Each structure stands twice: as C-alpha cells, then as structure tokens.
Amino acid sequence: MYYRKLGEIPKKRHTIFRREDGNLFREQVMGTKGFSGTQSILYHHHMPTEVAASEYVGSYLPEYEEQSSLRHRHFLTDRMKKCGDGHTSREYLLGNEDLLIGTAIITEQMKCYMRNGDGDEMFYIHHGSGIIETMFGSIRYKAGDYIIIPIGTVYKVMPDQGQTTKALFVESFSQITTPKRYRNEYGQLLEHSPFCERDIRGPEKLDTFTEKGHFEILTKSRGHLHRHILNHHPFDVVGWDGYLYPWAFNISDFEPITGRIHQPPPVHQTFEGQNFVVCSFVPRLYDYHREAIPAPYYHSNVNSDELLYYVEGNFMSRKGIKEGSITLHPSGIPHGPHPGKTEASIGKKETLELAVMIDTFKPLRIVKKAQEIEDESYMYSWLPS
Ligand SMILES: [Fe+2]
C-alpha cells in the first residue's frame, strides 16, 4: 500500500488540532505489528475509547466436520439458502488457524457496524453493487471487485437498494497484502507485477458524522464476538493519512501473464496473507507453442490445499462445475483435468474463464454446514463414465 490522505489533518502530526467549537479533535494512531507495520493517523470528533457498554456475544468460529477420507471436494454455493446483511448472511464453509472462507448472499443493508479485531477481511464480489462504508470513508463496489478491509476497521456493507450482493469472503488472522515479490524495497509495485497502484482504489469520499445516539459495533476478537455500544457515531473522522486503509481492486484489472507453454499457478497470484495466497484466473490467450497443451498437467501441490471459486466462463479443465462452485483439492493427493479436457484444450486460442483461487499452506478443514451443499460424487468424477 502507499500513502493516502483524505479530509482535514493538521500540518504536523501529534500537534494541536481544534474543532470549530475550540475543543480538540482526538488523534488515533492505528497500526499493525505494534508501531512497526503500516499505519494511519485518524482525527475523531469524539474519543474512540468512549464506549457506553461492552457485552460478550459468543464464539464466532464454525464447527468443523470430523476427520474423514482424504478426497477432492465440491460445494455448490448456489444451493445456499441463507441470506441477510453483511454479517448475518455469512456462511463459513472452510477454514483453519490462518483464515476462514465462506460465501454470503447479502440482501439487506447493515444496521449495526462490524469490526474484525482478529485480522484483515477480503470480499470478492461475484455479483451485485453497493458501498462499503468505513471510518476511513466509503468505497463503491461492483462485480469483480476484491475489497480488503484492514484489521480494526469499523465498517458497514450497504448493497444498493433492491439488489443482492453475492460475495466470496475471507476472514484472515493476518494482514492481506500484495505479494512481496511484486514490490521493490520501497514497496512500489514492479513492472512485472500484473497490476499497479493505479488499479487500486482507496476510500473515495469521507463523510463525517458528529451526532450522538446509540450505535452498535460487533467486534470479532480472539475467535469471539463482542458487542460494543457507542453513544456517538463511529464515523466521526474528519481526516486521516497513512498507509493503512480499506482498498479495492477489480479482477478485470489483473493483467494475465501468458507464455509459449503452460504457466504455473503463481503467475496468477494477486494477494497473500500468512500461510495463504489468493490468485485470479482471468480471460487470457492460451499458450502459443505450436505443440502446447493449454490445460494444466496433473499436479500434486503437496504442502498446500487448493480451493477454487468458479465465477463464470467454461472452466477449461473441469466438468460438472457451475458458477459459484467451490472445489477443494487437498494436499497429499494429485489433481488435474477431467477426462477428455486435456485433449480438448489442444489448439484452443483463449479461455474466458474467471475464477478465484485460494491456496493454503496448512490443511483446510470443512465446516459441517458445507456438507449440505456438497456434490459427493466429485471425488469419483475422473473415472471413465
Ligand atoms: Fe491445481
């Protein structure tokens, strides 16, 4: 991330900055890794520590299935019935100690506010549009957007009226960043990176709310959910600057890296967190060696589990996959194209597939609830029919 500023801030940090009524604005330094990570400085109308009530709600961690046989899994998220607001609609499907992954069908605007104190969150918007309102300002979203919300950010998900938003989400227990190998020693994205700073959108508009009242924030921390009641609006920030803020990147701005022969999955990498990466499979020209096989080879990604969320297009190496499908190819056993798909890919010039991949370096566990939308025949779909 790079430096941004929105709203009014004093010329020098940690100096007197007064409201119109003569009282001081309240300065908040919000940073990661103590004081050595990325940070921003925000100026509030009210003290951010002014809390009228604090209540324990309960654990938010999902219940995982018992250990069963090692197999490839397929979940059809279009079978999911659950919907609600940006919090209540979330259905966790897989997870481990580094991240939780799920989908959400968001049909309502949030009335309360959210804050994840355990790590950064990522939404991938499959369809729908709306606004993510945050203490740093608002970001409009549309289909194809990845939205990263940093740890500790107070926010609200506000789908456009009458519209449904379908999102894949990741709740990480770490920071989500652009890959280090795409950046130079100063943090700037390098020429070989498939996207650059111009493609990244920060908050566009900062609205400052000074009213008093009753405002509820649901805070995730240490695997538990807590309710904090404020007697002032949480979006009372008059200005901020720094390197920590929510941001968005649209998958259509990812410039695919192609080659004469099949390129390995790391060329699709978009983001990374602790023990996981996020990759974007976007429409692209196929390999141009005259004897190239565009479909991937069979591979054993030993030491990483591979999750794919299929967005749209005809996914080149799979059959029986629908929009909104999630496949999990676990470490320890090989995976690859379905019967006939390798041969069918030869001579093809391009693919229109769109998919998001999450590779985790520790095994993913399946949430019990995910079994309700599972295609149990998937493991045997490589057998001759
Ligand atoms: Fe793979």
Side-chain angles (χ1 to χ4, degrees), residues 3-256:
Y3 179 82
R4 278 182 194 266
K5 168 185 169 293
L6 209 56
E8 297 302 313
I9 58 172
K11 193 160 178 285
K12 197 159 185 66
R13 62 187 168 172
H14 320 323
T15 58
I16 294 167
F17 183 33
R18 293 193 187 279
R19 310 188 317 199
E20 258 180 26
D21 64 5
N23 289 317
L24 290 169
F25 281 111
R26 302 299 171 180
E27 185 183 54
Q28 178 193 7
V29 173
M30 188 167 158
T32 57
K33 298 177 185 164
F35 288 89
S36 13
T38 47
Q39 70 171 38
S40 285
I41 304 179
L42 303 96
Y43 295 88
H44 295 265
H45 270 267
H46 305 281
M47 287 181 282
T49 45
E50 197 182 299
V51 174
S54 169
E55 297 164 15
Y56 174 64
V57 180
S59 169
Y60 73 83
L61 299 178
E63 200 183 337
Y64 293 110
E65 68 175 21
E66 296 297 319
Q67 183 61 54
S68 58
S69 73
L70 186 64
R71 60 198 194 277
H72 300 312
R73 312 286 290 261
H74 176 204
F75 306 98
L76 295 136
T77 67
D78 62 353
R79 289 183 184 170
M80 261 174 31
K81 300 277 183 296
K82 189 176 176 182
C83 54
D85 66 24
H87 166 59
T88 58
S89 64
R90 294 186 197 194
E91 193 78 88
Y92 295 114
L93 300 170
L94 302 104
N96 64 21
E97 58 267 51
D98 297 312
L99 77 171
L100 299 169
I101 302 166
T103 54
I105 301 165
I106 307 169
T107 51
E108 296 163 29
Q109 299 193 336
M110 286 176 75
K111 293 186 180 63
C112 67
Y113 299 81
M114 284 297 298
R115 168 168 53 194
N116 193 329
D118 279 336
D120 290 3
E121 293 189 353
M122 183 197 89
F123 287 95
Y124 173 78
I125 307 297
H126 188 155
H127 54 75
S129 60
I131 298 177
I132 305 275
E133 296 178 354
T134 83
M135 60 204 274
F136 294 93
S138 311
I139 299 180
R140 270 213 71 82
Y141 68 78
K142 61 179 188 297
D145 275 349
Y146 289 104
I147 302 155
I148 310 290
I149 303 174
I151 182 170
T153 302
V154 180
Y155 71 91
K156 244 182 179 181
V157 183
M158 306 295 274
D160 286 338
Q161 286 288 0
Q163 280 222 28
T164 294
T165 294
K166 165 87 181 283
L168 169 75
F169 68 85
V170 169
E171 294 179 14
S172 79
F173 294 97
S174 61
Q175 201 168 5
I176 300 174
T177 65
T178 54
K180 206 169 179 180
R181 66 191 166 84
Y182 291 169
R183 288 181 268 129
N184 65 20
E185 65 198 284
Y186 308 103
Q188 185 175 12
L189 289 163
L190 290 160
E191 277 295 311
H192 73 260
S193 169
F195 53 91
C196 79
E197 284 82 357
R198 291 186 202 178
D199 302 318
I200 291 171
R201 289 142 42 211
E204 298 127 20
K205 190 164 164 273
L206 179 66
D207 290 317
T208 309
F209 300 91
T210 56
E211 67 253 43
K212 292 276 195 175
H214 179 97
F215 300 91
E216 183 181 332
I217 303 176
L218 290 172
T219 301
K220 289 177 174 170
S221 182
R222 298 159 176 80
H224 295 273
L225 193 62
H226 311 264
R227 180 179 291 110
H228 293 114
I229 308 295
L230 307 191
N231 55 18
H232 63 270
H233 201 295
F235 296 162
D236 66 341
V237 173
V238 70
W240 62 269
D241 75 334
Y243 285 66
L244 185 80
Y245 48 83
W247 49 281
F249 168 75
N250 194 278
I251 199 166
S252 63
D253 288 322
F254 186 92
E255 298 302 331

Side-chain angles (χ1 to χ4, degrees), residues 265 281 296-301 306 308 318 329 335-336 357 359:
F281 286 82
Y297 32 77
Y298 294 89
H299 49 289
S300 305
N301 41 335
E306 178 199 279
L308 266 163
R318 301 263 174 270
H329 301 130
H335 67 272
M357 183 171 84
D359 276 7

